[in-house]
Amino acid sequence: MLYVFACSVDRPNEGSIRFNAEFSPMASPAFEAGRPGVDAVELARLIERGLRGSGAVDTEALCVLAGRK
């Protein structure tokens, strides 16, 4: 999904990226439907930190309107 929202006051010329991970019950009976579990949240954070830290995503290119969105 794609969401457009107001940019951060700290970084008005940069967009941001967020990740969400879901473990489907179809993949394993150990996973339950509903809110993401601790493992899913940790996986999303790990992916987000890895991509931000690597500089693989150009956050300035994600900015639609500098200082606005």
Side-chain angles (χ1 to χ4, degrees):
M1 291 189 165
L2 173 68
Y3 296 99
V4 177
F5 49 91
C7 54
S8 169
V9 177
D10 306 5
R11 299 172 187 258
N13 296 326
E14 291 184 16
S16 64
I17 191 166
R18 302 273 188 263
F19 291 89
N20 182 37
E22 294 181 22
F23 296 155
S24 171
M26 291 177 59
S28 168
F31 304 137
E32 295 180 14
R35 294 184 62 171
V38 175
D39 291 337
V41 171
E42 186 59 32
L43 176 63
R45 287 181 183 160
L46 181 67
I47 292 169
E48 190 170 333
R49 275 185 261 139
L51 285 176
R52 280 190 186 169
S54 71
V57 177
D58 181 5
T59 55
E60 287 188 17
L62 296 175
C63 183
V64 178
L65 297 169
R68 295 178 56 197
K69 292 186 177 193

